[in-house]
């Protein structure tokens, strides 16, 4: 092998962390050790660099999320202040945020979680969620103070007597949706588990705050002075805002009054959102874990079979020279004689690791740089070159994109046929619009020598095949014999023929082996060399001879599109006896395929059973469940129009939306039930419940959406994950709130009426039984 860094001779060392270790700790220890070695052991003129450092991406991603955390807090504060219009009132929900976050961090420590991308995502989203309960409490106390002119203490006590049930229901539902998620297995389970448990803990703490700390703060901090003159600029702005809001509230009240009692409109709306959700999900690209800009590009180089390492080095050198003049490139490391994709050594293989400048020092993305590199090196005719980013999750393959193995199940052992089938399959893949860069290093044309042993002659000479081959291995390849210590250092003793005796293939015949009588016998007496062609390395997958194929989805297509295309083309191109199996991250994506759907269904069942217990009815929770398609449609709609895909981050957001949109429905239904018990008709109770809860619903929903804006417009490290989860959550919350406010009262009327009829029927049945018993007596 020949290793170089920025064109200068170097030694390349790859280090992989053990399972269960912390990447940051491992990398920091390595950096400390390298700094120490440079001081104590490096000779003059020698230095080192870290060309691929996972912590760069981790640190940059975490920095971005921390910044988002602060921006989200500020935006949430502004929205809450806009609705509450009082600094003291706004301070109370704002205080709920640090209390919930500190409490969450304490539980994360107990559960052994680290500060990582997933837990930080959860904390960012928690900011918009944990203020919800506090906002509901403060808004309810405000209503009592302004409408009934009660002092803060009495207003707080009366408000809490009305909304405590709703707060408990909201907290239970929003935390319960994450319970099934915690039991998911595999890599998907790791993603969901830390995120969901962190968020669930924050929500539970915010619920406890809402019935303990928040009411106490309301009683202490809130003041109501109806005689205060409002003449300032902010007062005039708030007056305009309130007038506009009152106008919207009146229009909303008249709209709900007109349509809530008309079942046909409600049912048609419900069916429309079910159909729209199904329709847009069918055309929305699917993915798994999005490929992020990690600031590193790999190049895999393959020169013709039988090429020397010097020939490969020349190609690698030209790639290095083409890379160094690109502004975004920081350093380039090359290694001739090594295949990055398959982790095998061979003279005709080479790899290039191109490290880019930090995200804030460049405008170009990884894909932009790859496109430029492909343009600059397209005239290199002596080699096959593939550029790709590293895998998003280290340990699942060596490259981003897809990975699978073509298997020979015929049992023939015809390696040339396997190579021909693989090459034909790859050509068909690259011709499809969904796939780019499909490639396999499996090549059955490497020039080789086959040793043919005359076993009868070898036996006559007193030589066993095992003895002959082990001697040949020692002389040609080397053999580790012993150790010795000299000058305080331990040295290995390696036995091998001197180079001048093993320069040409014919030299094998001149070597000698000792027989059972202690005589030296030339290999030429019992072996012959035959010139053949075959693969440099034979790999097996699930016991079958296999060739590994890698590639990526074309720009504008998702990994799900690429997987569907591969399945389609395989059915057409692979002959009988040949098949393929997924490996690496692609295998995990296939295995996790329907897991998210099952988890989503279980979460819905959890919510339904909790609400059934809360309302002591199997019908009243149905408006909550049936209002969810509005939000799911919104999430899918915004993902589609912004060119994103339905990946693991978007699916996390969908699970979260069950709790968030369920909260809105619970607020309306809880108050509608109270009004109905107070003697109002079902329709009037639904209208009053919806109108009275309009302000806190808009306040909490807009606060949550505001907290997501930094995620939706994220750039730099980790941007794809940020944008996926932010867009799905914000889009779902926006549509779910707007259309849910119209749909939920109508659904409540339908199911409350059904429940009333069932109760009335049961009561009549009991009356009949009592009359029969009386006559019997």
């Amino acid at each position: 092998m020949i290793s170089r860094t920025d064109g200068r001779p170097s030694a390349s060392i790859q280090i992989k962390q053990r399972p269960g270790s912390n990447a940051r700790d491992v990398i920091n220890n390595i950096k400390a050790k390298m700094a120490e070695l440079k001081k104590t052991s490096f000779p003059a003129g020698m230095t080192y660099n870290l060309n691929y450092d996972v912590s760069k991406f981790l640190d940059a991603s975490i920095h971005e999320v921390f910044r988002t955390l602060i921006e989200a807090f500020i935006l949430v504060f502004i929205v809450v202040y806009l609705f509450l219009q009082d600094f003291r009132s706004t301070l109370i929900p704002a205080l709920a945020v640090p209390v919930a976050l500190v409490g969450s961090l304490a539980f994360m420590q107990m559960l052994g979680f680290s500060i990582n991308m997933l837990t930080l995502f959860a904390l960012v989203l928690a900011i918009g969620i944990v203020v919800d309960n506090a906002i509901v409490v403060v808004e309810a106390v405000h209503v009592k103070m302004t409408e009934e002119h009660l002092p803060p203490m009495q207003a707080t006590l009366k408000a809490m007597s009305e909304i405590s049930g709703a707060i408990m229901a909201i907290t239970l539902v929003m935390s319960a949706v994450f319970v099934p998620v915690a039991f998911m297995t595999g890599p998907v389970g790791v993603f969901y588990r830390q995120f969901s448990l962190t968020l669930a803990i924050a929500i539970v703490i915010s619920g406890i705050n809402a019935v303990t700390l928040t009411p106490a703060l309301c009683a202490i901090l809130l003041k109501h002075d109806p005689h205060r003159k409002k003449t300032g600029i902010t007062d005039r702005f708030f007056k305009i805002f309130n007038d506009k809001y009152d106008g919207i509230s009146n229009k909303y009240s008249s709209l709900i009054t007109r349509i809530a009692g008309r079942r046909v409109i409600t049912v048609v709306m419900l069916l429309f959102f079910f159909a729209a959700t199904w329709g847009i999900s069918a055309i929305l690209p699917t993915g798994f874990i999005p490929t992020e800009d990690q600031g590193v590009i790999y190049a895999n180089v393959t020169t013709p079979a039988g090429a020397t390492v010097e020939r490969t080095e020349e190609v690698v050198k030209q790639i290095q020279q083409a890379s160094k003049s690109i502004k975004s490139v920081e350093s380039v490391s090359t290694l001739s004689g090594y295949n990055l994709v398959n982790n095998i050594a061979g003279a005709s293989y080479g790899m290039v690791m191109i490290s880019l400048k930090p995200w804030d020092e460049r405008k170009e993305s990884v894909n932009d740089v790859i496109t430029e590199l492909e343009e600059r090196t397209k005239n290199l005719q002596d080699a096959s070159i593939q550029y790709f980013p590293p895998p998003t999750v280290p340990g699942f393959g060596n490259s981003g994109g897809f990975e699978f193995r073509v298997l020979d199940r015929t049992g023939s052992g015809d390696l040339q046929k396997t190579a021909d089938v693989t090459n034909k399959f790859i050509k068909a893949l690259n011709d499809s619009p969904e796939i780019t860069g499909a490639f396999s290093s499996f090549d059955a044309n490497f020039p080789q020598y086959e040793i043919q042993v005359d076993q009868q002659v070898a036996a006559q000479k007193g030589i066993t095949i095992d003895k002959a081959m082990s001697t040949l291995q020692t002389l040609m390849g080397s053999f580790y014999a012993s150790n010795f210590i000299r000058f305080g250092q331990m040295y290995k003793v390696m036995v091998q023929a001197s180079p001048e005796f093993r320069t040409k293939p014919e030299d094998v015949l001149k070597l000698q082996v000792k027989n059972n009588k202690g005589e030296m016998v030339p290999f030429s007496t019992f072996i012959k060399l035959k010139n053949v062609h075959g693969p440099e390395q034979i790999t097996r997958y699930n016991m079958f001879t296999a060739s590994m194929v890698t590639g990526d989805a074309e720009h504008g297509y998702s990994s799900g599109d690429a997987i569907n295309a591969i399945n389609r083309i395989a059915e057409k191109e692979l002959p009988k006896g040949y098949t393929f199996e997924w490996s690496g991250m692609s295998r995990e994506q296939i295995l996790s395929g329907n897991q998210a759907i099952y988890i989503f269904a279980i979460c819905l069942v959890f919510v339904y059973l909790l609400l059934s217990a809360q309302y002591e009815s199997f019908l009243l929770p149905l408006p909550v469940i049936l209002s969810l398609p509005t939000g799911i449609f919104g999430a899918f709609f915004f993902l589609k129009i912004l060119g994103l895909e339905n990946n693991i981050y978007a699916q996390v957001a969908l699970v979260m939306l069950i709790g968030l949109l369920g909260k809105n429905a619970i607020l309306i239904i809880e108050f509608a039930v109270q009004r109905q018990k107070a003697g109002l008709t079902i329709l009037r109770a639904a209208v009053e419940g919806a109108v009275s809860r309009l302000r806190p619903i808009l306040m909490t929903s807009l606060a949550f959406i505001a907290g997501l804006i930094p995620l939706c417009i994220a750039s730099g490290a980790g941007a794809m994950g940020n944008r996926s989860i932010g867009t799905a959550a914000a889009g779902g919350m926006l549509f779910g709130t707007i259309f849910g406010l119209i749909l939920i009262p109508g659904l409540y009327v339908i199911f409350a009426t059904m429940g009333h009829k069932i109760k009335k029927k049961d009561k009549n049945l009991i009356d009949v039984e009592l009359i029969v018993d009386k006559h019997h007596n």
Side-chain angles (χ1 to χ4, degrees):
M1 298 183 192
I2 302 173
S3 174
R4 297 184 185 277
T5 297
D6 294 329
R8 290 174 291 180
S10 66
S12 295
I13 303 173
Q14 289 187 358
I15 302 173
K16 296 184 179 181
Q17 69 179 106
R18 288 180 173 175
S21 60
N22 183 277
R24 182 190 287 271
D25 292 341
V26 172
I27 291 167
N28 287 340
N29 289 337
I30 291 167
K31 288 178 177 177
K33 177 56 70 176
M34 290 304 297
E36 177 190 330
L37 290 172
K38 183 179 180 181
K39 290 180 180 178
T40 58
S41 305
F42 281 24
M46 181 178 281
T47 185
Y48 71 95
N49 81 328
L50 300 165
N51 205 35
Y52 178 47
D53 180 0
V54 177
S55 67
K56 286 183 179 179
F57 176 68
L58 290 176
D59 292 343
S61 301
I62 289 172
H63 171 74
E64 288 294 322
V65 180
F66 266 123
R67 192 179 71 181
T68 302
L69 201 70
I70 296 166
E71 291 170 352
F73 182 78
I74 294 168
L75 288 169
V76 168
F77 188 89
I78 291 169
V79 171
V80 174
Y81 182 66
L82 184 64
F83 275 90
L84 294 180
Q85 301 169 9
D86 173 47
F87 181 78
R88 286 170 172 262
S89 303
T90 308
L91 188 62
I92 295 170
L95 289 173
V97 173
V99 173
L101 295 188
V102 170
S104 300
L105 292 170
F107 277 96
M108 283 168 58
Q109 179 75 17
M110 290 168 56
L111 293 170
F113 293 173
S114 61
I115 294 288
N116 54 48
M117 289 291 292
L118 302 171
T119 51
L120 281 173
F121 268 145
L123 294 178
V124 169
L125 297 171
I127 289 177
I129 295 173
V130 299
V131 296
D132 282 10
N133 287 334
I135 287 171
V136 171
V137 172
V138 173
E139 195 274 339
V141 174
H142 258 278
V143 168
K144 297 300 177 187
M145 289 170 62
T146 53
E147 293 183 2
E148 301 182 23
H149 305 292
L150 295 174
M153 176 63 80
Q154 280 71 26
T156 302
L157 293 172
K158 189 166 184 181
M160 290 307 296
S161 66
E162 293 180 1
I163 63 170
S164 293
I167 288 171
M168 294 303 294
I170 290 169
T171 304
L172 285 172
V173 167
M174 289 178 69
S175 55
V177 295
F178 298 110
V179 173
V181 174
F183 295 97
M184 291 181 76
T185 57
V188 181
V190 175
F191 265 77
Y192 277 98
R193 193 177 303 118
Q194 295 205 18
F195 174 89
S196 61
L197 289 179
T198 303
L199 199 51
I201 289 164
I203 291 167
V204 170
I205 292 171
S206 76
I208 296 169
N209 275 349
V211 294
T212 54
L213 178 64
T214 304
L217 290 173
C218 287
I220 295 168
L221 295 178
L222 293 186
K223 289 184 178 179
H224 177 57
D225 183 7
H227 305 296
R228 186 178 75 86
K229 293 183 179 180
K230 300 179 180 180
T231 55
I233 297 174
T234 55
D235 293 324
R236 289 197 294 272
F237 171 77
F238 286 142
K239 185 179 185 306
I240 296 169
F241 176 84
N242 290 334
D243 290 341
K244 295 287 185 185
Y245 172 80
D246 290 339
I248 293 171
S249 179
N250 292 332
K251 290 178 182 177
Y252 174 69
S253 177
S254 61
L255 176 67
I256 296 301
T257 304
R258 285 199 306 274
I259 69 170
R262 299 183 181 181
R263 299 185 183 186
V264 175
I265 295 175
T266 303
V267 172
V268 168
M269 279 182 64
L270 187 63
L271 292 175
F272 168 78
F273 279 107
F274 270 110
T277 302
W278 177 82
I280 199 166
S281 67
I283 61 172
L284 180 66
T286 57
F288 189 45
I289 301 172
T291 301
E292 297 283 6
D293 181 347
Q294 299 185 55
V296 175
I297 298 170
Y298 290 155
N300 192 59
V301 179
T302 308
T303 51
T308 61
V309 72
E310 287 78 16
R311 185 175 172 183
T312 305
E313 169 67 9
E314 185 59 35
V315 176
V316 166
K317 186 177 180 181
Q318 292 180 60
I319 296 173
Q320 187 266 329
Q321 290 172 345
S323 304
K324 70 178 184 180
S325 58
I326 297 175
K327 291 181 180 179
S328 299
V329 173
E330 187 172 62
S331 66
V332 182
S333 290
T334 63
L335 188 61
S336 303
Y338 183 76
N339 185 306
L340 173 68
V341 177
N342 290 342
N343 289 327
I344 60 173
S348 61
Y349 301 127
M351 64 165 282
V352 182
M353 191 178 289
I354 302 162
S355 182
L356 305 183
K357 292 177 180 177
W359 292 263
D360 55 350
E361 294 180 21
R362 59 181 165 93
K363 295 180 181 178
E364 298 83 0
S365 67
V366 160
N367 289 332
D368 296 334
V369 178
I370 287 176
T371 302
E372 188 171 352
L373 283 168
E374 288 172 341
E375 181 64 28
R376 291 189 178 202
T377 58
K378 66 181 180 181
N379 295 323
L380 295 179
Q381 302 294 332
D382 199 28
S384 171
I385 306 167
Q386 296 80 39
Y387 297 99
F388 47 84
T392 305
V393 180
F396 286 93
N398 290 324
S399 64
F402 59 78
E403 178 185 310
F404 64 88
R405 317 289 175 116
V406 176
L407 306 185
D408 175 10
R409 293 177 179 265
T410 62
S412 65
D414 189 340
L415 299 173
Q416 188 61 54
K417 178 73 180 296
T418 302
D420 292 342
V421 169
T422 301
N423 291 334
K424 185 181 177 184
F425 189 25
I426 288 172
K427 184 180 183 305
L429 291 176
N430 284 325
D431 288 342
S432 69
E434 301 95 336
I435 293 169
T436 183
F439 171 79
S440 176
S441 60
F442 187 85
D443 189 346
N445 295 317
F446 279 90
Q448 299 171 341
Y449 281 94
E450 181 182 290
I451 296 176
Q452 296 179 333
V453 181
D454 189 330
Q455 297 189 27
Q456 189 174 357
V457 174
Q460 290 173 357
K461 297 291 184 180
I463 298 167
T464 63
I465 305 300
D466 177 57
K467 178 75 172 178
M469 294 302 105
S470 62
T471 301
L472 197 61
Q473 165 66 35
T474 299
L475 296 174
M476 298 297 290
S478 77
F479 176 73
Y480 173 38
S482 181
N483 299 320
F484 71 93
I485 297 175
R486 181 71 60 88
F487 311 118
Q489 296 279 351
M490 187 176 76
Y491 296 89
K492 287 183 177 181
V493 178
M494 306 295 293
V495 180
Q496 189 177 30
S498 188
E500 64 267 24
F501 295 104
R502 50 184 174 86
T503 55
K504 299 186 297 292
E506 295 78 17
D507 289 340
V508 174
L509 301 174
K510 299 175 184 178
L511 298 173
Q512 297 181 341
V513 59
K514 186 181 289 186
N515 66 7
N516 55 6
K517 295 179 182 178
E519 300 169 343
M520 302 303 295
V521 180
F523 276 95
S524 60
T525 58
F526 61 92
I527 71 168
K528 293 180 180 179
L529 294 179
K530 182 182 178 183
N531 199 339
V532 296
H533 291 84
E536 195 165 43
Q537 184 185 58
I538 299 175
T539 59
R540 296 185 183 275
Y541 193 77
N542 292 340
M543 301 301 291
F544 295 101
T545 301
S547 59
M548 187 169 80
V549 179
T550 58
D552 209 344
E554 183 62 86
H555 295 306
Y557 291 92
S558 69
S559 60
D561 295 332
I563 286 171
N564 292 334
I566 292 167
N567 285 323
R568 184 186 71 245
I569 296 167
E571 288 183 11
K572 182 180 177 182
E573 296 293 336
L574 291 181
K576 186 177 180 180
Y578 287 86
T579 184
F580 78 99
E581 289 195 23
W582 300 103
S583 58
M585 189 56 74
S586 300
R587 181 174 181 270
E588 296 300 329
Q589 180 170 354
I590 299 296
L591 291 176
S592 69
N594 294 324
Q595 197 175 19
I597 298 172
Y598 298 138
I599 289 296
F600 198 77
I602 293 169
C603 290
L604 289 177
V605 172
F606 255 63
V607 171
Y608 176 76
L609 294 175
L610 267 173
L611 292 176
S612 296
Q614 174 78 10
Y615 296 130
E616 298 179 353
S617 167
F618 288 113
L619 290 174
L620 283 183
L622 290 175
V624 178
I625 304 298
L626 293 175
S627 66
L628 296 176
T630 57
I632 298 169
F633 170 73
F636 286 167
F637 177 77
F638 277 93
L639 287 171
K640 179 66 179 173
I641 63 172
L642 292 176
L644 299 171
E645 58 188 36
N646 182 15
N647 55 39
I648 193 168
Y649 291 108
Q651 289 160 14
V652 167
L654 291 179
V655 171
M656 184 174 61
L657 281 172
I658 296 175
L660 289 168
L661 296 175
K663 172 212 69 179
N664 291 348
I666 289 166
L667 283 174
I668 292 173
I669 292 167
E670 182 78 20
F671 275 75
V673 169
Q674 290 179 10
R675 297 294 188 273
Q676 191 180 338
K677 286 179 180 178
L680 295 180
T681 62
I682 292 174
L683 177 59
R684 196 65 233 162
V687 173
E688 286 199 11
V691 174
S692 65
R693 294 294 91 196
L694 177 62
R695 193 178 184 98
I697 285 173
L698 288 178
M699 200 187 323
T700 54
S701 299
L702 291 175
F704 178 72
I705 293 168
L708 292 172
I709 290 172
L711 288 178
C712 296
I713 59 174
S715 60
M720 291 306 296
N722 290 354
R723 288 167 58 194
S724 295
I725 197 168
T727 301
M733 197 65 187
L734 182 64
F735 272 40
T737 300
I738 293 170
F739 296 107
L741 283 168
I742 300 169
L743 188 62
I744 292 164
L747 289 171
Y748 174 79
V749 170
I750 291 172
F751 289 104
T753 303
M754 289 172 60
H756 180 70
K757 287 180 179 179
I758 291 169
K759 284 182 179 180
K760 192 173 181 181
K761 186 178 179 181
D762 292 342
K763 185 181 177 184
N764 291 338
L765 197 64
I766 293 167
D767 289 343
V768 170
E769 287 176 356
L770 286 172
I771 292 166
V772 170
D773 285 344
K774 185 176 179 183
H775 282 296
H776 179 72
N777 290 334

